[in-house]
Structure formats: structure tokens, C-alpha cells
Amino acid sequence: PSYAGLPTDAQKAVLFTQGKMNFNHGWFVQAEAPPGAMLCTLKSVLMAGATAADLGLYFLHWFTDLAGAEATPLGGAEKFVLKFPHSVLTSFLWSIPFLGKLETSSETAVVEQYLKARWRAIAPDTPCPQDGAAVACMRIATMAQSDESVVEIFRGLPTRDRNCLAQEMAYTGCVDQRFSTAPAWG
């Protein structure tokens, strides 16, 4: 069906999937940036009237777009089967429900929930860090793609370097938001 023939709600949903939200899903999955840089525009679009269903359609569109990125006649979705590591695809899909929480939670709260859940998946026998370096530890472990041993390397850094990294990695980029374990705002 053509766009013009769609009901208004469906037109809004289609526009949402095509909008420029400055959202990089890979950054979120790998915890590569502060919450503000990753999620502020997406959050503002949701606050302007987009719905969780629109976000679901956005990710369905993303998924099908990725599947067909290197389509071959009669070959199917070779990108998923042959070129995209299943662990990476799983991480992307696993992260989507957390992004749906943006409708009711702050950017920082969503990232913190995601980091804690990733930590529990990465290190199920180790409690989530709770000290001033907790965010850095969880982000580093997530960036290392589920290798918690990097946290011990981080903790072994000289105090000045470790504290600097912990502070920088705990900045949110969002006014009046902070991680629950972080000493600084913003």
C-alpha cells in the first residue's frame, strides 16, 4: 500500500522509522558513549508523541534492513547467516527491550539498567560493582564483549588514571542526571 493510503497513526509510525534520531544502536549495545550522546534525540522523539509500538516498528525495520543489506537473488539473508556473528546479533536483539523503557525512564536510568543486566549476564557469580568506578567497570566489561577479566586490569591501573577514567565514564551528558553509583552529575 502507498504511504498516502495509510491511516494517520501508521503514517506517523513510518515517519518515525525514517527519522534522523542520531541513534547508533551499536554504541548502546557496546556501551561506547554516555547516555546523552546515545539516547537524548531518541528520547525527545518519544516524548514528542512517538510510542513504544513505533519504536518496535523502528527495530523491525532495522532488522529487515540489515537482513537485506547484501541480498542475493534466491540466497536469502546471507548477511545474518554467513557474515554477522550470532553473538553480536543476539546482543543487539537482547538490548531492544531496554530501549523501550525510554518512554517512561530517563536516558541514564535506561543505560544503568542495561549495564547492570549485561553485568549479570557476563559475570553471574559476581555482584554488580557498587563503588565510584561501577559504571566504568560495567561499561568496560560490556565493551570487551562479555570479558569481565578486563575489569581486573582496569582496577590494577594507577589510582590517578583509574579515578580519571571512572569519572569520565560516569558522565551522562544529560543535565540533572547521574548514575546511582556516580559521584558527579551530568
Side-chain angles (χ1 to χ4, degrees), residues 49-75:
T51 66
D54 296 337
L55 191 60
L57 181 61
Y58 171 83
F59 285 113
L60 175 64
H61 176 264
W62 170 83
F63 190 75
T64 58
D65 209 30
L66 183 61
E70 295 180 19
T72 56
L74 305 176

Side-chain angles (χ1 to χ4, degrees), residues 35 101 105-114 177-179:
K101 296 176 183 184
S105 299
S106 73
E107 299 89 334
T108 302
V110 167
V111 171
E112 187 163 13
Q113 290 171 21
Y114 174 73
Q177 291 184 32
R178 73 176 186 88
F179 290 101

Side-chain angles (χ1 to χ4, degrees), residues 50-122:
T51 66
D54 296 337
L55 191 60
L57 181 61
Y58 171 83
F59 285 113
L60 175 64
H61 176 264
W62 170 83
F63 190 75
T64 58
D65 209 30
L66 183 61
E70 295 180 19
T72 56
L74 305 176
E78 290 181 0
K79 179 95 171 181
F80 282 144
V81 177
L82 303 174
K83 300 179 181 177
F84 207 88
H86 289 180
S87 62
V88 174
L89 179 60
T90 299
S91 293
F92 273 85
L93 295 175
W94 191 83
S95 74
I96 292 171
F98 291 92
L99 293 163
K101 296 176 183 184
L102 269 176
E103 196 170 32
T104 57
S105 299
S106 73
E107 299 89 334
T108 302
V110 167
V111 171
E112 187 163 13
Q113 290 171 21
Y114 174 73
L115 289 173
K116 287 179 177 180
R118 281 296 299 267
W119 181 270
R120 287 189 294 272
I122 292 165

Side-chain angles (χ1 to χ4, degrees), residues 14 43-44 48 72 78 81 89-90 95 105 128 131 133 149 151-152 164 167 176-177 181 185:
V14 169
K43 172 82 173 177
S44 69
T72 56
E78 290 181 0
V81 177
L89 179 60
T90 299
S95 74
S105 299
C128 284
D131 61 0
S149 67
V151 172
E152 293 310 314
C164 178
Q167 182 177 349
D176 296 328
Q177 291 184 32
T181 58
W185 291 86

